Amino acid sequence: MDWLLDPLNYDFMRQALMAGVLIGVLCPVVGTFLIVQQMALLGDVVAHAVLPGLAIANFLQIPLLLGAFISGMISTFVTTWIQTQSKVKIDTAMAITFSSFFALGITLLTTLKSRLDLEELLFGDILGITVADVWQVGLITVAILIAVKFFYKELLFFTFDRLGAEASGLPVNAINLGLMTVITLAIVAGMKTVGVILVMALMISPAAAASLLTTELHWMMMIGSGLGVLSSLIGMYMSYFLNIPSGPAITLTLFVCFLLALLFSPSQGVLTSHFSMAKGQNSLD
Amino acid sequence: MLEVENLSVSYRGISALEAISLSLMPGELVGLIGPNGAGKSTLIKAILGLAPCQGQVLFNGIPLRRQRRRVTYVPQRSQIDWDYPVTVWNVVMMAQTKSLGWGRRPGNEAKRLTSAALDRVDMLTLKDRPIGQLSGGQQQRVFLARALAQQAELFLLDEPFTGIDKKTEAIMVDIFAELSAQQKTLLVCSHEWGDNLNRYDRLLLLNRKLLADDRPQAVMTMDNIQRAFGSNMPSRFTQPRTMRLVS
Ligand SMILES: Nc1ncnc2c1ncn2[C@@H]1O[C@H](COP(=O)(O)OP(=O)(O)OP(=O)(O)O)[C@@H](O)[C@H]1O
Ligand SMILES: [Mg+2]
């Protein structure tokens, strides 16, 4: 068991693991809302769109997270604006937004002679996670989880039947704004740990795996979080021992989880459901 | 009483509804019919304030959007993602979201309303099923239960009779009669054409404009069908008994 405990002797590794656990809980909860609205790619949009904000914040010497948050939020507005103002579909709007923001971000990072470590931002780096980062991630996680719990029934109604929710008098625009805020915050929080390119994996893969294992939204979140934490921890250890960036390590672990769920889910697994059908069971009951 | 005055809707410059005026009385069961793309769903959404519209919608003299609790809406089936991870019970419980208020969990009253509504549509035994594992008729009944559980006065239903079984149809017809006996107002969109339409007290024939507003017998004339469907009228509409306004 020494190999398990050995990395814990290092401050950076303890911080990385803490951040990994927090992010592992948070991201799948938020990602669940994206998946059920068939907007999984919006996570990708925001994740790429934080770059210009990071570059500008670094240049102006304001907190990076603030810059990333503002720029991420702007990208969600731009996406919605393109979609509502024209017949351009949401996936097209997302593709246009995220590539443009990403390009702008890279341009700004180079022209502003930013000293930000691009590779760390893009792919995550367990060496780069400070105590302050852990606190930030912790606060964001707790705040979002409380908000999701408090507004759960409104969020459920809104994401299931937006028109019905609006018809019943719920303030759908405010709820949507709240969701976008939460999504952006979660991405910003996950940035340091997995990097902007792969933070989407932590939002989508565990929740998607969970969706194959359950048929209720809150279970999708809880199982997703469990898988998220597990994959984060395994990924961090892989990053430590194999000397690879934490983002790819976590993402690959998540993919294995998803694959296992896809193949072996008791009710919907590619292999198991065939098996139960062969045995004449009704997989619905 | 619901009063709609000069309601117009256009989507990006293209007019979908033109100056619709109508009124619905308490206890009235009104059918809204017209070909695909006629604007039936749009009219229902505009009444609810969910579409970009001009004109006025008053319920008992007050703008409807200021008293949304009095109205309930059953969306068209195609508008719902039936793979959404939610159970029958929780869908019907959504009717209580607004009245419970932020941060409140359903209490006994909310649970009683939910279970009564599910029982009324004969779906209580399936309350723990995910909605994706129901038949089309059962899904429609769940949404009707959600509408019932909201205890509204005005019911707007978008194609509740599409893709359902005989049992669901019987339950729905029965519930509509009961609601109208309780002086509720019902506006039901429909694709059907034929004797079924006689179950409504009044029919509104729509194709971008309101073409007819009268008793079923008076609306279901060849002349009116032609006006609604124009020259592209499918041949099957020439046999009134089997006619359906299908896509
Ligand atoms: N969100 C939208 N954006 C642009 N155009 C729309 C939108 N919704 C509806 N339309 C257009 O408005 C017209 C009326 O559509 P609507 O869905 O109200 O018809 P409908 O009578 O309900 O048809 P169906 O029988 O197919 O349900 C159609 O021409 C449609 O293309
Ligand atoms: Mg329609």
Side-chain angles (χ1 to χ4, degrees):
Chain A
M1 290 307 270
D2 275 355
W3 65 271
L4 252 184
L5 298 175
D6 180 47
L8 295 177
N9 291 325
Y10 301 98
D11 280 345
F12 80 85
M13 194 58 187
R14 284 201 298 272
Q15 286 149 16
L17 287 172
M18 286 275 278
V21 168
L22 289 166
I23 268 320
V25 173
L26 173 63
C27 283
V29 169
V30 174
T32 297
F33 287 120
L34 284 175
I35 292 181
V36 295
Q37 294 187 91
Q38 293 157 40
M39 300 229 294
L41 281 173
L42 191 70
D44 214 17
V45 174
V46 176
H48 284 76
V50 298
L51 271 194
L54 288 172
I56 293 171
N58 180 250
F59 182 71
L60 298 177
Q61 301 290 316
I62 57 171
L64 288 185
L65 287 191
L66 187 64
F69 176 72
I70 293 173
S71 158
M73 285 302 285
I74 293 176
S75 76
T76 67
F77 295 135
V78 171
T79 308
T80 328
W81 183 75
I82 294 179
Q83 188 212 358
T84 49
Q85 294 305 309
S86 63
K87 64 176 186 192
V88 172
K89 294 280 179 292
I90 183 87
D91 56 335
T92 312
M94 291 198 273
I96 292 170
T97 315
F98 97 78
S99 51
S100 315
F101 270 73
F102 192 64
L104 181 65
I106 301 287
T107 310
L108 285 175
L109 281 173
T110 13
T111 52
L112 297 178
K113 304 253 182 315
S114 166
R115 287 189 293 108
L116 286 174
D117 181 349
L118 194 56
E119 191 166 330
E120 179 189 324
L121 283 176
L122 296 183
F123 301 112
D125 179 8
I126 53 175
L127 289 170
I129 299 166
T130 63
V131 177
D133 289 332
V134 176
W135 274 105
Q136 267 169 345
V137 173
L139 282 177
I140 293 176
T141 304
V142 170
I144 291 182
L145 292 183
I146 290 175
V148 167
K149 176 103 177 112
F150 189 79
F151 295 115
Y152 184 77
K153 69 179 185 314
E154 285 80 12
L155 290 168
L156 177 73
F157 198 174
F158 172 81
T159 53
F160 174 62
D161 175 12
R162 185 181 176 142
L163 281 175
E166 190 174 0
S168 84
L170 288 182
V172 286
N173 291 326
I175 295 177
N176 193 45
L177 182 67
L179 259 183
M180 294 302 149
T181 309
V182 159
I183 287 159
T184 311
L185 272 178
I187 286 169
V188 170
M191 203 170 58
K192 274 277 179 133
T193 326
V194 271
V196 295
I197 304 275
L198 296 174
V199 64
M200 171 157 108
L202 200 46
M203 304 185 83
I204 304 304
S205 301
S211 76
L212 297 172
L213 301 170
T214 174
T215 47
E216 283 216 73
L217 193 75
H218 59 277
W219 279 113
M220 194 168 151
M221 292 177 177
M222 286 192 257
I223 297 174
S225 291
L227 295 174
V229 170
L230 189 72
S231 306
S232 263
L233 291 178
I234 296 176
M236 288 292 182
Y237 272 92
M238 277 168 55
S239 171
Y240 176 85
F241 285 112
L242 304 177
N243 203 16
I244 49 176
S246 45
I250 293 174
T251 305
L252 290 174
T253 317
L254 287 166
F255 181 67
V256 173
C257 281
F258 176 76
L259 208 59
L260 289 175
L262 184 65
L263 293 175
F264 299 112
S265 156
S267 56
Q268 304 159 62
V270 173
L271 298 178
T272 37
S273 61
H274 275 286
F275 183 62
S276 59
M277 255 185 272
K279 274 171 43 180
Q281 290 170 353
N282 185 353
S283 59
L284 297 185
D285 289 348
Chain B
M1 182 169 92
L2 179 79
E3 290 161 289
V4 174
E5 283 163 33
N6 263 318
L7 198 63
S8 300
V9 176
S10 57
Y11 289 112
R12 285 185 224 107
I14 300 164
S15 148
L17 286 180
E18 263 175 45
I20 309 287
S21 295
L22 55 94
S23 56
L24 308 180
M25 300 297 159
E28 233 184 351
L29 172 60
V30 180
L32 176 62
I33 56 172
N36 279 117
K40 303 182 294 296
S41 301
T42 302
L43 178 56
I44 286 193
K45 286 177 197 168
I47 290 174
L48 286 161
L50 309 180
C53 59
Q54 294 175 318
Q56 226 181 8
V57 180
L58 301 176
F59 190 62
N60 298 337
I62 303 168
L64 186 64
R65 28 176 108 204
R66 283 204 246 130
Q67 29 177 356
R68 286 216 163 116
R69 261 180 231 185
R70 299 186 159 191
V71 55
T72 188
Y73 167 55
V74 174
Q76 199 165 348
R77 271 182 55 77
S78 56
Q79 208 172 284
I80 298 295
D81 169 20
W82 295 101
D83 285 327
Y84 192 103
V86 64
T87 58
V88 168
W89 178 265
N90 285 331
V91 169
V92 180
M93 195 50 100
M94 286 174 191
Q96 311 301 324
T97 310
K98 185 66 188 170
S99 59
L100 282 172
W102 304 100
R104 295 266 188 75
R105 300 174 138 272
N108 286 337
E109 174 66 3
K111 288 176 186 160
R112 191 189 60 75
L113 286 171
T114 303
S115 113
L118 274 171
D119 195 32
R120 183 68 188 84
V121 299
D122 200 15
M123 285 294 292
L124 193 53
T125 49
L126 296 178
K127 69 183 171 63
D128 296 322
R129 276 267 178 108
I131 49 155
Q133 296 175 9
L134 300 175
S135 73
Q138 290 171 329
Q139 289 171 339
Q140 201 67 60
R141 275 188 269 155
V142 172
F143 270 75
L144 184 57
R146 187 177 83 175
L148 290 175
Q150 202 188 315
Q151 298 191 296
E153 289 157 47
L154 173 63
F155 288 67
L156 305 177
L157 300 98
D158 201 344
E159 312 228 358
F161 288 108
T162 301
I164 60 169
D165 48 299
K166 280 272 169 287
K167 175 179 175 184
T168 302
E169 184 173 345
I171 291 176
M172 287 204 307
V173 168
D174 198 43
I175 289 176
F176 290 172
E178 192 178 296
L179 288 170
S180 102
Q182 292 166 10
Q183 295 302 301
K184 312 277 187 187
T185 309
L186 290 96
L187 182 62
V188 182
C189 241
S190 177
H191 258 140
E192 301 165 300
W193 186 265
D195 293 342
N196 283 340
L197 292 181
N198 285 317
R199 65 172 154 239
Y200 298 104
D201 298 325
R202 185 148 64 94
L203 285 182
L204 307 172
L205 180 63
L206 187 74
N207 194 358
R208 214 160 54 86
K209 296 174 187 168
L210 197 55
L211 300 175
D213 174 357
D214 211 331
R215 287 170 301 105
Q217 291 304 334
V219 169
M220 290 191 294
T221 61
M222 275 318 288
D223 197 35
N224 272 334
I225 308 169
Q226 225 137 16
R227 282 209 295 158
F229 288 82
S231 51
N232 301 332
M233 196 174 63
S235 61
R236 59 173 166 264
F237 288 135
T238 48
Q239 293 152 2
R241 294 264 148 196
T242 54
M243 280 190 308
R244 298 191 110 231
L245 309 183
V246 249
S247 42

